[in-house]
Amino acid sequence: MKKDEQLQLKWWVIPGAIIIGLLIIGGIILGVSKLTGNKKEFADMDAMHEKTTQESEKNNDNSKREPINTSNNNKDTSESTPSTENTEKIRGCVNTFAGYTSLFAANGGNTTQENSNFDKAGLNVEIYIEDDDDNIIEAFKNGEIQFFAMTINKMALVAKQLEDEGIETVMPFFLDTSTGGDGIITDSNVKNIADLKNVKIGMAKNSVSTAIPVWYLNIAGLSESEVQEIVDNFVLFDSTQEAVDAFVVGEVGAVSTWNITGALEKDGSHVLTDTNSGEFLVIDGIVFNKEFAESHKDEILTMIDAILVTVNDINDGVNVESYYESIRQSVPDFASYSNDELASELSYAKFLGYNGNLQALEVAEDVYKDFSKVWAQLGHETNENYQLIDDSYITDLSWWEGMMLE
């Protein structure tokens, strides 16, 4: 290269380098600005995830509500990226209960997994596990979750509480009906419902287990004073496990619970009555904020449809191993269950498909009204005329008619 050409090149290099440097610096500043804005946006969208266990331990304030526990979302998603990861996320929360596991089976886990039925339907769902209903309701009121699972029986109490706070709720779909999963276990000396006058009865406070004994008492032909005498024997615990433990060690002579297997570990105990004697007495469903449901009806219909596919598969023995594995990886209490053990657990709560939902709809409003009266007997305010159940969702999926056994 000639000397004058080298000088000409150097003349262009210096300002060119300055311009490029300025562009790079400007890009960095813009990128940092956008990143800061995005961080705020993600923080707003995922506020619930910011409530970490470490913060709870740091605060150590037992008077405050514990955040929903997201640590149960233990499925490894590092090798499974769903096609819906950029879709609006729908968050929900359920108790550790076999009847709710069709949700995890449809989702492929706590979060939507690739090729799961929810993923194939274009949904992005995250399901938390929380066994304290008060925490679930608080998260629902705060908008941290859009749905939860609960019995119609307890919703006869909860719907009124939420209504009083200006939150309307709707139950568009039934997940299961208790088939022996709820009952009253007693010592051998208790032979019938009337004998409960002579024993203390343990149960979780403000749970379906509190209401079921009263419902049985009401249909047993006892007088109001006799019913009240037995209600006065109720011993309320913070959880059903505490109630079962108290029964096993002899602190109470009977227990109303959904942990029948645990209660029967006590020598000489027996089932006084359970939901095997009355299908559709206890019905579980998904509850949505009504405003959210109305603005997301297509998504909810799609969600229900995917659950129906899952239930249909399980009932027909299709992909059962895959569904069971999703349940095991999603619910810590079921993590070590064999297929046979999981099937046994599921036998206490029958998944409801399309036809099962139609059957449940025939009695659901009556169940809601009956248990509204029960909760009123126990001193709570209720609204037995509240329209919790919306059958339009099942009606819109009428093409399922005749395709399912359950």
Side-chain angles (χ1 to χ4, degrees), residues 41-337:
E41 179 181 353
F42 293 143
D44 291 339
M45 291 173 62
D46 291 318
M48 183 157 54
H49 295 290
E50 294 176 4
K51 300 175 180 178
T52 61
T53 303
Q54 289 80 5
E55 288 174 336
S56 296
E57 290 175 351
K58 182 179 179 181
N59 292 335
N60 195 26
D61 184 358
N62 293 328
S63 67
K64 295 181 180 179
R65 178 182 68 87
E66 291 294 327
I68 294 251
N69 182 4
T70 62
S71 63
N72 291 328
N73 298 346
N74 57 355
K75 186 162 186 174
D76 183 6
T77 62
S78 59
E79 298 181 1
S80 182
T81 303
S83 59
T84 57
E85 62 178 343
N86 295 319
T87 305
E88 179 185 2
K89 183 174 287 186
I90 301 174
R91 296 185 175 94
C93 195
V94 302
N95 300 143
T96 300
F97 175 58
Y100 301 154
T101 56
S102 60
L103 288 166
F104 298 111
N107 205 32
N110 300 92
T111 57
T112 301
Q113 298 298 295
E114 187 176 17
N115 292 323
S116 67
N117 290 334
F118 279 175
D119 179 48
K120 292 174 183 176
L123 297 168
N124 186 6
V125 180
E126 186 159 11
I127 309 165
Y128 307 117
I129 297 174
E130 170 60 63
D131 289 322
D132 188 328
D133 284 348
D134 289 341
N135 282 351
I136 292 176
I137 298 306
E138 195 65 25
F140 184 73
K141 290 192 296 186
N142 293 339
E144 298 171 39
I145 55 175
Q146 288 74 53
F147 73 90
F148 60 92
M150 187 166 282
T151 63
I152 292 176
N153 315 68
K154 183 166 181 178
M155 279 305 297
L157 170 66
V158 173
K160 172 61 175 172
Q161 295 172 343
L162 291 171
E163 182 187 21
D164 288 345
E165 297 198 33
I167 301 173
E168 300 291 330
T169 51
V170 62
M171 184 179 284
F173 181 73
F174 305 124
L175 291 167
D176 69 274
T177 180
S178 179
T179 49
D182 298 85
I184 302 173
I185 313 301
T186 69
D187 289 330
S188 57
N189 61 309
V190 179
K191 306 296 184 184
N192 55 56
I193 290 291
D195 288 343
L196 291 173
K197 289 186 290 185
N198 305 313
V199 298
K200 292 182 178 180
I201 311 159
M203 61 198 66
K205 63 183 178 182
N206 293 341
S207 70
V208 68
S209 296
T210 312
I212 283 178
V214 180
W215 186 87
Y216 280 121
L217 293 171
N218 288 342
I219 66 171
L222 302 177
S223 67
E224 286 187 19
S225 61
E226 288 175 316
V227 170
Q228 188 57 49
E229 184 180 354
I230 295 173
V231 170
D232 289 341
N233 288 335
F234 286 4
V235 181
L236 304 180
F237 294 89
D238 288 333
S239 71
T240 195
Q241 189 58 53
E242 289 182 33
V244 168
D245 291 344
F247 173 67
V248 170
V249 301
E251 291 180 14
V252 294
V255 61
S256 176
T257 181
W258 58 84
N259 184 7
I260 289 179
T261 302
L264 288 173
E265 291 179 2
K266 182 177 183 180
D267 290 340
S269 61
H270 72 112
V271 178
L272 180 66
T273 186
D274 64 26
T275 47
N276 257 330
S277 61
E279 192 174 49
F280 296 113
L281 170 60
V282 177
I283 307 171
D284 289 283
I286 309 176
V287 180
F288 283 90
N289 181 302
K290 188 174 183 179
E291 183 177 346
F292 177 87
E294 290 175 347
S295 62
H296 293 76
K297 185 163 186 176
D298 288 344
E299 290 90 338
I300 295 174
L301 281 169
T302 302
M303 187 175 177
I304 294 171
D305 187 53
I307 297 171
L308 290 176
V309 170
T310 305
V311 171
N312 198 35
D313 281 351
I314 293 174
N315 288 341
D316 288 346
V318 177
N319 297 325
V320 172
E321 174 62 38
S322 175
Y323 288 131
Y324 279 10
E325 186 59 25
S326 294
I327 293 169
R328 278 190 285 263
Q329 293 194 39
S330 304
V331 187
D333 283 13
F334 299 150
S336 62
Y337 278 35

Side-chain angles (χ1 to χ4, degrees), residues 14-57:
I14 294 171
I18 293 172
I19 293 171
I20 291 171
L22 290 173
L23 288 173
I24 291 172
I25 293 170
I28 291 171
I29 294 171
L30 180 60
V32 170
S33 176
K34 288 187 68 177
L35 180 60
T36 303
N38 284 343
K39 282 184 176 179
K40 183 179 186 304
E41 179 181 353
F42 293 143
D44 291 339
M45 291 173 62
D46 291 318
M48 183 157 54
H49 295 290
E50 294 176 4
K51 300 175 180 178
T52 61
T53 303
Q54 289 80 5
E55 288 174 336
S56 296
E57 290 175 351

